[in-house]
Amino acid sequence: MLFTSFEFIVFLCVVFAAYYLIPKRFKQSLQWVVLFLASVFFYYLTGVNNLIYLGTTITTAYAASMAIGRLNNIQSEFIAANKAKPESERLSKDAVKAYKKANKNKRLILLTLCLLVNFGLLGFVKLSLFGVLGLSFYIFRSMSYLIDLHRGKFSQQKNPLKFALYVSFFPVLIQGPITRYEETGIALFRSNSFNKKEFSFGIQRIMWGFFKKLVIADRLVIALGALNAAPETYRGIYALMAFLFYAIVLYADFTGGIDITIGVGQALGIPMKENFIRPFYAKSIAEYWRRWHITMGEWFRDYLFYPLSTSKLMMRFGAGLRKVLGSRGNNIARRLPVHIATMVAWFSTGIWHGVSWNFIVWGLVNGVVIVLSLELEPLYKRFGKALPRLTQSKFWLCLQIVRTFWLMNFIRAFDLHRDVRTTLSLQLSVFTDFRWAKFMNEGVSKLGVSPTEYGVIAAAIALLFIASYIKNKTGGVREWLSAKPMPLRFTVYGVILFGTLIFGAYGLGFNANGFMYTVF
Amino acid sequence: MDKLIKIIEELHPDVEDIANQTAIVDDDIIDSFSMVTIVSEIQETFDIHIPADKLIPENFNSVAAMFALIESLED
């Protein structure tokens, strides 16, 4: 069941009605059950076999979480009992430390086993030719829960069905965001009364998601498909166009899906972390990744980059470098271990997207650009000091934004063409085989999208920019809109609703497109 | 505390009056790369291990917060 299908709208109506019509005294005990049943039904419709994978993750993660949680509790009780003893009878600090270490090792074994099973399953599926919708998203969600539980951030969720709901909550199930237990877990199990403002804002956000996906992504994807299908013909300026169209399509598709997800959560009274903060305004690739698919970036940062870069292994490596290079090599010894950790994190992010060369290269190129930017930072600073008027001007800011946007478009091409040789050839063609004459002759007329449709897409993109501007200036478009007179408000709602109904790519002649990120 | 201030000043000579800053991470004075570089130096200098789950803005927003973290791990 696609988010953008008629069935999903009916499904949502039923879920909202069942969720809020529960009498107040039963809300606490039944609302989460509605969400659980809705989530199982939603995933069941994606394929019965998919339930086996989801069930495996839930069962293994739940079993491990109960065992880890039990060990956490035993440790807490042991320490409390020791503290309650008279000072003369208390265990020494070293004995307590040894006890904690032994306990931690047991938890670590359980955690490692569960990680191996689940990431093994993920690797198996990624290497196979079949896909399992949302697998990496719910595996990442459950593994972050386990790691945080091991770190003692919260107590284990003892109810297996509540835990299953946390892992499988339908809005986030197939394309994220990769929610954390401490952020959404608690909200899922509390009682939520109907809140008119939150519900209305949630519905508006869902409508905005539909608009982005159906009017922009699903229309422009036709032209993108045509460019992509003939890379030997569409080179040079057409390759640039494909990179640009892909940026727009992926943005409208992914953020549209996340808008629907967060909107559904808001309508149900379940807040979720934002996954995008105006990514195309980033001034560097590192900043871009702090604005795009934020929950994935934070996952790799918190559970791979931080532990690895500050690990004893890296400490020893740094110390070894200091010994070999002497005091002159202090800076290298300090920075190289962190750069290695950065490259490992980006290699893993590439693999997360797919076990193929194009994604490995994509990840490594991202890593190399970030490491290079860090190393060139002193040079930028010197340049900034030498030319302060230029580097503090709006022109310079725009230049940085445009440079980052196009650099990212070139990197993203490895994901677009899924073949390293084709991608490199197309990137090179921008400089060696521009095909200006072909472009002047036929323009974009043979890409399956009419001039009117290009006009609709351009108008919709302009609307996106206006919304982004208002959000940046006021903090929130819906809040800004809610303070406006009713005629203006309803005109905007009408433009979004009827714009989607009239100009959206759906119905006869169109194949409903799934969301791009569900395949990961 | 002086040892800690020296480490941060050496890593970030361009930041003015770092000892009195209270939102070092929140104001993007340091990013995740800088944070782990500071952590590595602290680990080396104070002979402690800072677990990855302690790498949160609250523990690195000020020199005082970093020092409190070091003290809690030295215990």
Side-chain angles (χ1 to χ4, degrees):
Chain A
M1 181 163 50
L2 291 171
F3 272 7
T4 47
S5 63
F6 179 70
E7 291 88 342
F8 184 70
I9 296 171
V10 174
F11 167 78
L12 268 189
C13 293
V14 174
V15 172
F16 287 150
Y19 190 72
Y20 283 122
L21 288 176
I22 291 170
K24 200 176 177 188
R25 61 197 166 114
F26 297 121
K27 271 192 163 66
Q28 179 76 50
S29 51
L30 287 182
Q31 273 186 323
W32 71 268
V33 178
V34 170
L35 296 181
F36 172 70
L37 293 175
S39 300
V40 173
F41 178 69
F42 176 83
Y43 203 54
Y44 163 77
L45 290 184
T46 68
V48 185
N49 288 345
N50 287 345
L51 282 174
I52 299 169
Y53 294 94
L54 180 63
T56 306
T57 296
I58 290 172
T59 312
T60 52
Y62 177 74
S65 75
M66 288 303 285
I68 291 171
R70 204 172 137 259
L71 285 166
N72 277 343
N73 294 343
I74 290 171
Q75 180 173 302
S76 304
E77 283 165 16
F78 175 84
I79 290 168
N82 187 49
K83 273 188 181 165
K85 283 180 188 168
E87 204 157 326
S88 57
E89 291 174 32
R90 274 184 214 164
L91 289 171
S92 68
K93 263 190 178 178
D94 286 342
V96 173
K97 234 181 191 177
Y99 175 84
K100 278 185 181 173
K101 197 176 176 189
N103 187 297
K104 188 182 170 186
N105 285 342
K106 282 184 199 165
R107 282 183 281 139
L108 209 54
I109 291 169
L110 287 163
L111 176 67
T112 310
L113 278 175
C114 196
L115 290 175
L116 283 175
V117 168
N118 280 280
F119 287 126
L121 180 70
L122 185 60
F124 168 72
V125 170
K126 293 239 176 214
L127 281 169
S128 313
L129 288 174
F130 62 94
V132 177
L133 274 181
L135 181 73
S136 58
F137 287 100
Y138 61 73
I139 284 187
F140 268 45
R141 194 174 308 120
S142 359
M143 295 307 108
S144 79
Y145 168 85
L146 268 191
I147 298 168
D148 286 346
L149 181 69
H150 163 72
R151 290 172 172 178
K153 266 193 176 177
F154 42 71
S155 306
Q156 76 272 33
Q157 174 52 258
K158 289 180 182 160
N159 186 326
L161 296 183
K162 282 187 175 176
F163 176 73
L165 169 61
Y166 164 67
V167 177
S168 64
F169 182 42
F170 72 89
V172 299
L173 183 57
I174 55 172
Q175 66 169 359
I178 306 168
T179 49
R180 302 280 176 97
Y181 186 72
E182 70 269 28
E183 288 164 358
T184 50
I186 312 301
L188 277 171
F189 314 126
R190 70 180 177 205
S191 85
N192 282 311
S193 299
F194 182 79
N195 179 315
K196 194 179 156 196
K197 185 188 158 198
E198 291 298 314
F199 189 80
S200 151
F201 275 20
I203 300 299
Q204 286 173 43
R205 182 111 189 224
I206 295 171
M207 277 167 57
W208 186 234
F210 276 121
F211 178 80
K212 280 181 182 171
K213 168 73 175 156
L214 294 175
V215 181
I216 302 173
D218 284 0
R219 280 203 179 276
L220 194 57
V221 80
I222 295 164
L224 179 65
L227 290 167
N228 225 4
E232 64 291 337
T233 309
Y234 293 123
R235 300 167 65 77
I237 190 170
Y238 286 100
L240 274 184
M241 203 184 294
F243 301 165
L244 175 67
F245 284 4
Y246 188 46
I248 299 168
V249 168
L250 192 62
Y251 175 82
D253 183 285
F254 197 11
T255 65
I258 293 294
D259 283 333
I260 296 171
T261 295
I262 294 179
V264 171
Q266 192 170 10
L268 290 166
I270 298 155
M272 274 174 235
K273 195 178 166 73
E274 290 295 339
N275 216 19
F276 296 90
I277 303 172
R278 306 167 81 230
F280 295 150
Y281 288 90
K283 297 181 291 300
S284 68
I285 299 297
E287 188 192 351
Y288 171 85
W289 283 109
R290 289 196 293 273
R291 291 166 170 266
W292 175 281
H293 206 177
I294 297 165
T295 54
M296 181 201 69
E298 288 182 347
W299 198 101
F300 280 104
R301 184 197 65 191
D302 293 348
Y303 303 116
L304 183 60
F305 174 66
Y306 279 167
L308 182 61
S309 57
T310 59
S311 65
K312 285 175 183 160
L313 178 76
M314 285 301 181
M315 288 286 294
R316 277 200 290 271
F317 177 58
L321 280 175
R322 274 192 181 97
K323 256 186 201 166
V324 175
L325 301 170
S327 58
R328 274 190 185 174
N330 251 352
N331 201 32
I332 298 173
R334 194 180 283 150
R335 297 170 77 88
L336 190 58
V338 187
H339 289 333
I340 291 172
T342 303
M343 292 308 295
V344 171
W346 276 105
F347 174 79
S348 310
T349 309
I351 295 281
W352 179 85
H353 283 83
V355 188
S356 54
W357 281 110
N358 68 302
F359 285 119
I360 292 171
V361 172
W362 173 90
L364 293 176
V365 171
N366 269 295
V368 167
V369 173
I370 290 170
V371 168
L372 275 179
S373 322
L374 285 166
E375 284 309 308
L376 292 173
E377 220 171 62
L379 206 66
Y380 296 148
K381 280 183 181 163
R382 250 186 280 166
F383 184 70
K385 274 182 187 164
L387 296 166
R389 280 187 66 185
L390 171 71
T391 51
Q392 283 165 24
S393 65
K394 283 204 169 161
F395 165 75
W396 190 254
L397 179 75
C398 289
L399 207 66
Q400 284 179 305
I401 290 172
V402 172
R403 177 211 54 189
T404 305
F405 177 72
W406 276 102
L407 183 56
M408 200 57 228
N409 285 351
F410 270 73
I411 297 174
R412 204 183 292 110
F414 288 104
D415 165 24
L416 170 64
H417 295 286
R418 308 273 163 112
D419 176 68
V420 178
R421 192 172 289 180
T422 309
T423 307
L424 289 173
S425 157
L426 285 169
Q427 287 167 338
L428 196 65
S429 76
V430 173
F431 307 100
T432 58
D433 183 13
F434 203 61
R435 305 218 167 174
W436 183 248
K438 181 179 169 65
F439 179 71
M440 290 308 282
N441 193 29
E442 64 182 61
V444 288
S445 60
K446 291 187 177 171
L447 302 178
V449 176
S450 70
T452 318
E453 286 174 310
Y454 280 119
V456 168
I457 294 164
I461 292 171
L463 207 58
L464 244 62
F465 273 108
I466 294 169
S468 173
Y469 176 80
I470 295 171
K471 189 175 181 187
N472 194 40
K473 285 280 166 198
T474 65
V477 182
R478 289 165 296 168
E479 289 81 357
W480 172 83
L481 200 57
S482 65
K484 296 289 163 203
M486 197 189 272
L488 174 66
R489 234 166 48 220
F490 279 85
T491 306
V492 175
Y493 299 152
V495 166
I496 304 298
L497 177 64
F498 291 106
T500 310
L501 289 174
I502 296 166
F503 300 116
Y506 63 94
L508 288 177
F510 278 102
N511 291 319
N513 287 308
F515 284 85
M516 290 173 157
Y517 255 74
T518 56
V519 298
F520 298 127
Chain B
M1 184 79 115
D2 290 343
K3 267 200 283 185
L4 178 61
I5 294 173
K6 204 178 155 199
I7 289 174
I8 302 165
E9 279 177 345
E10 197 188 316
L11 292 173
H12 294 276
D14 49 328
V15 181
E16 279 177 30
D17 195 20
I18 199 143
N20 291 317
Q21 300 279 354
T22 53
I24 296 174
V25 180
D26 291 343
D27 287 351
D28 289 332
I29 296 171
I30 63 167
D31 56 13
S32 53
F33 174 83
S34 304
M35 201 199 278
V36 292
T37 320
I38 291 172
V39 168
S40 304
E41 285 300 305
I42 291 174
Q43 293 190 145
E44 176 93 19
T45 310
F46 292 88
D47 194 25
I48 54 168
H49 177 65
I50 300 179
D53 59 312
K54 302 288 182 199
L55 271 68
I56 50 172
E58 297 88 89
N59 287 335
F60 291 86
N61 264 333
S62 66
V63 173
M66 291 183 220
F67 195 68
L69 175 68
I70 295 168
E71 281 192 323
S72 72
L73 292 166
E74 277 177 335
D75 280 345

